[in-house]
Structures are given as C-alpha cells and as structure tokens.
Amino acid sequence: MKPDISTKVGPIELERPTMLASGILGISLEVFSRLYKDGAGALVTKSLSKEPWDGYPNPTIIGVKAGYLNAIGLSNPGAQYFAKMIESNKTVPIIVSLVGSIEEDFTFMIKQFENVKILGYELNLSCPHVEKVGLEVGDDPNLVRKIVKSIKSHSKVPIIAKVGLGSSDYLETVRAACESGIDAITAINTVRAMGIDVETTRPLLSNKIGGLSGSAIKPIAVRCVYEISSKFDIPIIGCGGVSNWEDAVEFILAGASAVQIGSAIGEKWTDIFSEINNGISKYMEKKGFSNINEMIGIAKKF
Amino acid sequence: MQRNSNRPLVVKIEKIIEETPTVRTLVFSDEIFSSVLPGQFAMVWIPGVNELPMSVMITLEKGKGAFTVRKHGLASTELYNLKVGDYIGMRGPYGNSFTIKQGKLLLVGGGTGLVPLVRLLTFLKKTDEVTILIGAKTKEEVFFEKLANQLLENNKHQVIVVTEDGTYGKSGLVTEEMEKLLYEKKFDAIYTCGPEKMMHKVVQLAHTKKLHVQASLERMMKCGMGICGSCCMGEVLVCKDGTVFDGEYLLSNKEFGFTHRNKAGILENY
C-alpha cells in the first residue's frame, strides 16, 4: 500500500507535508493555485501588515554560498487589499502570515479575513530586518503573550507562531506562545546576516543587514526543531534550507509535522513540491512507515 | 572558483555611447554577459542607489556586454549619469529567451525594448528575410537604426522607423505601420519588445492573422530569480517563466496589457 503523506499540524490538516514558506512568491491567488496544483500542501502568504508596505529599495536579495541574503523589508499590499484579492478562494489551502507591533494591528488584520476561506494564521515573530516588528516582537515574551492571547480570542481559525533566532532565548518565545494557547510553531526564520562587495567596499543589500536562508541554515533549523520538540508538547513546522526530500525527512525525524520550502524554489522552481513529496513517499515505503505521524520526532529516542 | 550568478559581479564601465539626448549605452567587459540569449536580463546594481532589471545589449566587440539605459526614474537616471571608470554590478543572466524561427521575420520594438530584438538579429540565419519596425515619439529619440542596418547587411532586410510626430521616417504609431505591413506581406514569426500597450496591440494584430508571435515583458522586479514574487502576472512569474511569452498565452492572461503590480504588490492600471 502506498504510504499516506497527509499530515496534521495540530488542528490543521494537510494533504501533503510540504508548504510554501512565507515571503516566497506569495502575492497572487493565481500563483497560489498553481503551487497547490504543483504539490504544495499549503501556501503561506507574504507577511501582511495593517497598511501596504513598499519594502526596501533593491538590492533586496542576493545569492551567497549555499543560500541567499535578503532584506526585502516585508513589502506587501496590506491585509485589507490581500483579503479582497483572495475572497473568491474556495479550494486553495492558504495560511495568512501577519506582521505587526501591537495587539491592535493584529486584531484589525484578522477582522479583514473574517469571511475569507483560510486554514489559519502564521504570526511573523521573527523577521530579522525590519524595526518594531518580527524579531523585535518575538524577543519580548510578554508582548508575545499579549498578542497571542488577543488573537486567540478574536480568530476562528488556528494560529501558528513563526519563531527565529533573535537576541533573547527563542525557547522563551516558544514558551510564551505555548502558554498563551498557540496551535503550532514554525521554526525558524532567516538568520541575521550580511555581505559586502570587496570591489566597491559596500554592503550588498540596501538595508545592509538582512537574513540568511537556504542550505546554509538547515542544520541550525533542524537543531531548533529538535529542541522545541524535546521541551514542549506543540506541533512544529520545520523551515530553513529544505531543498530535497532528505532535508524534509530530517526535519520530520527531529520533530516537525510538516516543512516549509522557500529558497530552494529559486533553483528547482515549482517542481520542488512534488519532487519532495514523492521522495518522502518512497522513503516511507522503503522504511515501512505507513503515515507521517509514525516518523515525527523519532530521532529523539536516541 | 565557480561564479555565483546570484551575487553581483562588479565591473567597470569602459565606454559610454550616446544614443540620443536621453539614452546611453554603457559598455563593460565580461564573457558571460557578452553572450546571453535574446530576452534574458540582468539585475543591474548601481552601487548605493538601487538595482534594476535590464535586458543585456550587444556590442560589436568580442567579450564585451552593455546596458542601454534611458534616464527616466531615479535609479535609471543615476545609471545614465555614471562615468567611464565607475562600477556597476550585475546578477544573472536570468529568464528564458525568444524561440528563434526561420524565414520571413518581423520585429517590432519601441524605445529600449529594442535591446533584446537587436540581440535577436545576431542569432538569425543568412537566409532569413527580416523587417524591423522601430517606434519612437520623435526624431531625436530614434536609435539603433544604423546598427540594425549594419547587423542585417547580409540579409534581405528592411528597417522602418516610425515616429509619432512624423519628424522622421513614417508618421504615426509603430503598430499602425505593422497593421499595413501585415496586409502587404506574409511573415513566419513576429517578435516584440517595448511598452506593454504596444506589445498588446502587436500580439492582437498577429493573432488575427494567426501568426506565431512572442513578446518579452517587464514587471516590477526585486529578486529576478523566482523567489520574491514581485513580478507575478496572473499565475506566471515574469522573471522565471519569462521574460518571453507566446502571444497565445498572453491573450489568455487577463493582466497582460492592462495591469502591473507596484512595489507593495498592488495592481495598477497601465
């Protein structure tokens, strides 16, 4: 019998364990539909803010060894515009990523999606390159508590918190989110980083500092998933440098119920979802796993 | 060491060619960017200013590439104002390219949209019969006419310039001239690049005659390599699925010719 690659991230059910990571390709419903057809189990939108944001001037993304540096600056059309754009959605499993500074930002945005079909929200508590949002919120466990509690009381759909490596212990952010009723954790975001051009002696990104993504950060992300899964009873989505099925399986063995894919789309394009899904399925067949749940976190027994 | 095409390659500008009072071609040395395919582009870094998607211009010298820039917005004006010896960076080349057919070919270009079409000319066979329509607002904005004639000297060819104010060549819109040509002559393929409204008309005209047509498009771009999503047009990403699309597909895309997204990702009308 063919292994079952559907998975559950807490209350969120996915046909396939490969999701589109936030920030990647996510600004039109048509692109989401295409990626869903190409095998993605769910699509996480770009992080939406209360107002539209232009983001930083270019250069906003450049390639480095084994990954990318980016400081896009959270460009997005704003929650209101986006909600209207996807209001006709019937079939595509969309998770809306939200970014803000205070509780009111989030409750305003959630109101916009009241009548839109979505799977849940992912709170961006970890963007490393924009002031007053992202990591600056995630680094403050008390603020995380307030925001998560407030959203939980307003939202009809599950809430995921996306955490990253900031200046405080990220496990305290996870603890604050878990104690406030979060449904799942996505780990991790990009890692603060920069690059300098030696010819012009200038920083490469217009914002100078950005976030590192891609294969370069995968072992860090696997470690975080393993740590969270060892310390907390919370469903986890692994994110950071997944570029083939072995990477995805590694995250699942560390404790993830699903994975998100971002940077690798740049090289393998939209075929990557079905490629990884098929690889996971073949691995499960070979190893005698009948469903994803049997594999989650089994590396912890050693 | 293997080159990382996603990290800016920094070169010095070696020569500047004045094309018109508002258009310049900046020449530099690099083997890879001297031989890209027609339709491919680079993300051009103007250090300290911005980074822009630009089609790569040919030069008549081996091992050299170029960018032809019109001063228009802030970043393109800064690029235009650079001097010989200044640095620019470039990532890529990115994107697909025109499918090169043989026979009677019609090329329709407007402004700096001529860049990929001029490159296309360097890929043609001696047996191809080529008509190139160059559109401009006025006489002093016409460029690449001489270059096109020079590149096509061994082909049966015709270079037709059309100015909107009639101060040079034929008078009117380049697409009006194209419409006349389609009644007089038969073509095997049509290629276009320029303002999107112009390309939309070219594609429609070609479609009514059931002719193979391809257009090279431009959108707001940030990464240029299929990651950020800024350049999406319906379900396609112009940087990765394009820049070149078949006319038949374009007519089925409800954004082509009508809307594009701004920096925040909000649709705006052309």
Side-chain angles (χ1 to χ4, degrees):
Chain A
M1 213 176 81
K2 224 176 144 50
D4 177 11
I5 63 162
S6 71
T7 187
K8 273 188 181 174
V9 182
I12 301 173
E13 294 185 20
L14 304 175
E15 293 166 59
R16 300 175 287 262
T18 47
M19 305 164 63
L20 173 74
S22 179
I24 312 293
L25 299 184
I27 52 172
S28 84
L29 183 56
E30 293 97 325
V31 170
F32 288 150
S33 306
R34 171 180 173 180
L35 297 173
Y36 179 51
K37 260 184 240 146
D38 286 348
L43 299 309
V44 187
T45 70
K46 274 185 180 276
S47 289
L48 304 173
S49 48
K50 214 173 146 184
E51 305 291 334
W53 285 352
D54 281 351
Y56 299 130
N58 281 348
T60 46
I61 312 187
I62 59 132
V64 292
K65 262 181 214 158
Y68 298 94
L69 279 179
N70 93 77
I72 295 266
L74 296 172
S75 64
N76 79 87
Q80 209 163 6
Y81 181 90
F82 200 90
K84 201 150 178 56
M85 192 178 71
I86 64 165
E87 71 184 354
S88 62
N89 179 42
K90 297 271 189 303
T91 53
V92 187
I94 296 175
I95 292 173
V96 173
S97 173
L98 301 176
V99 67
S101 304
I102 51 171
E103 293 137 84
E104 287 75 20
D105 292 346
F106 292 94
T107 45
F108 170 85
M109 290 192 277
I110 284 176
K111 215 170 159 48
Q112 312 305 315
F113 288 92
E114 259 173 358
N115 300 313
V116 182
K117 191 177 183 299
I118 58 171
L119 279 188
Y121 296 103
E122 185 181 82
L123 309 184
N124 180 344
L125 304 177
S126 44
C127 169
H129 59 251
V130 180
E131 281 177 19
K132 296 192 176 70
V133 298
L135 265 182
E136 291 193 19
V137 174
D139 273 342
D140 181 350
N142 287 328
L143 185 54
V144 169
R145 269 192 191 87
K146 275 196 231 165
I147 289 172
V148 173
K149 277 184 187 157
S150 159
I151 298 176
K152 276 305 285 182
S153 68
H154 286 86
S155 171
K156 293 176 217 146
V157 293
I159 318 280
I160 306 161
K162 183 168 180 178
V163 301
L165 303 177
S167 55
S168 66
D169 182 359
Y170 81 103
L171 290 169
E172 289 310 308
T173 313
V174 174
R175 185 185 311 282
C178 289
E179 288 172 359
S180 312
I182 204 84
D183 296 290
I185 297 283
T186 298
I188 58 174
N189 207 311
T190 57
V191 178
R192 269 173 86 81
M194 82 179 292
I196 295 168
D197 173 60
V198 296
E199 202 65 49
T200 58
T201 70
R202 284 174 179 275
L204 284 160
L205 296 173
S206 76
N207 190 54
K208 302 183 180 77
I209 288 177
L212 177 64
S213 67
S215 301
I217 67 163
K218 196 200 75 183
I220 303 175
V222 171
R223 181 265 295 181
C224 293
V225 168
Y226 184 85
E227 280 180 345
I228 298 167
S229 132
S230 304
K231 291 196 162 74
F232 302 95
D233 181 22
I234 189 82
I236 306 163
I237 300 164
C239 181
V242 175
S243 68
N244 55 39
W245 68 263
E246 289 98 327
D247 295 339
V249 169
E250 203 177 334
F251 273 101
I252 296 169
L253 298 178
S257 306
V259 295
Q260 294 184 352
I261 300 168
S263 299
I265 292 172
E267 285 101 54
K268 299 195 179 168
W269 205 213
T270 64
D271 297 333
I272 191 166
F273 295 101
S274 60
E275 182 197 308
I276 293 182
N277 292 337
N278 292 338
I280 294 173
S281 178
K282 281 195 187 123
Y283 170 82
M284 290 168 72
E285 215 167 343
K286 192 178 88 182
K287 292 285 183 182
F289 294 116
S290 58
N291 62 63
I292 298 276
N293 201 40
E294 293 170 8
M295 302 157 61
I296 298 173
I298 60 174
K300 287 185 291 179
K301 72 181 177 208
F302 298 101
Chain B
M1 204 181 81
Q2 207 198 340
R3 170 154 147 184
N4 180 347
S5 61
N6 296 326
R7 188 179 173 111
L9 167 84
V10 174
V11 296
K12 270 187 182 173
I13 296 167
E14 294 172 3
K15 192 165 91 178
I16 294 174
I17 305 163
E18 301 279 343
E19 307 287 2
T20 78
T22 57
V23 177
R24 284 178 181 162
T25 298
L26 316 176
V27 182
F28 58 87
S29 289
D30 184 67
E31 282 297 334
I32 290 174
F33 283 95
S34 72
S35 58
V36 310
L37 298 171
Q40 286 191 305
F41 68 99
M43 289 301 293
V44 180
W45 183 36
I46 311 136
V49 179
N50 212 316
E51 192 185 38
L52 295 171
M54 298 200 76
S55 196
V56 188
M57 182 56 190
I58 62 155
T59 71
L60 299 174
E61 294 167 84
K62 209 177 166 315
K64 294 197 191 294
F67 295 108
T68 297
V69 56
R70 178 192 296 278
K71 58 173 174 179
H72 179 64
L74 188 85
S76 63
T77 302
E78 293 278 352
L79 182 60
Y80 172 92
N81 285 334
L82 291 181
K83 307 271 182 293
V84 169
D86 285 343
Y87 289 112
I88 51 169
M90 63 202 85
R91 298 188 283 119
Y94 296 126
N96 68 359
S97 59
F98 288 114
T99 310
I100 300 162
K101 300 259 181 182
Q102 291 178 26
K104 294 189 173 63
L105 309 176
L106 174 63
L107 281 58
V108 186
T112 50
L114 284 162
V115 169
L117 300 179
V118 167
R119 183 171 291 275
L120 182 66
L121 296 180
T122 66
F123 284 79
L124 301 181
K125 299 265 181 300
K126 296 263 183 294
T127 48
D128 292 330
E129 192 180 325
V130 185
T131 306
I132 177 162
L133 279 169
I134 295 178
K137 283 208 159 54
T138 185
K139 182 181 178 180
E140 66 172 15
E141 287 186 20
V142 176
F143 57 99
F144 292 164
E145 182 191 11
K146 198 175 139 206
L147 179 65
N149 274 310
Q150 198 179 339
L151 291 168
L152 291 168
E153 63 187 2
N154 296 319
N155 289 70
K156 194 170 173 200
H157 76 276
Q158 204 180 2
V159 177
I160 304 168
V161 178
V162 188
T163 54
E164 284 177 31
D165 64 1
T167 46
Y168 187 73
K170 308 231 175 185
S171 175
L173 292 174
V174 74
T175 46
E176 292 165 355
E177 195 55 34
M178 174 184 168
E179 204 167 355
K180 284 182 215 156
L181 270 180
L182 290 188
Y183 280 107
E184 295 163 11
K185 288 175 83 169
K186 281 183 93 75
F187 292 99
D188 296 302
I190 300 177
Y191 302 98
T192 184
C193 187
E196 193 152 310
K197 284 281 184 197
M198 180 204 89
M199 290 193 283
H200 189 236
K201 185 77 187 167
V202 169
V203 169
Q204 282 179 322
L205 289 172
H207 185 73
T208 58
K209 295 273 178 188
K210 304 218 171 0
L211 294 171
H212 172 84
V213 58
Q214 286 187 318
S216 172
L217 272 57
E218 188 176 16
R219 279 290 180 281
M220 165 73 218
M221 283 184 194
K222 294 185 179 181
C223 75
M225 48 191 166
I227 295 177
C228 74
S230 305
C231 66
C232 74
M233 180 179 79
E235 73 281 10
V236 296
L237 281 301
V238 171
C239 72
K240 193 89 172 182
D241 297 310
T243 63
V244 176
F245 296 93
D246 286 346
E248 202 176 336
Y249 169 73
L250 289 173
L251 291 179
S252 74
N253 186 302
K254 60 182 193 297
E255 291 184 29
F256 172 64
F258 297 100
T259 55
H260 63 103
R261 286 179 196 267
N262 67 14
K263 286 176 191 162
I266 294 172
L267 282 173
E268 290 179 348
N269 292 323
Y270 269 112

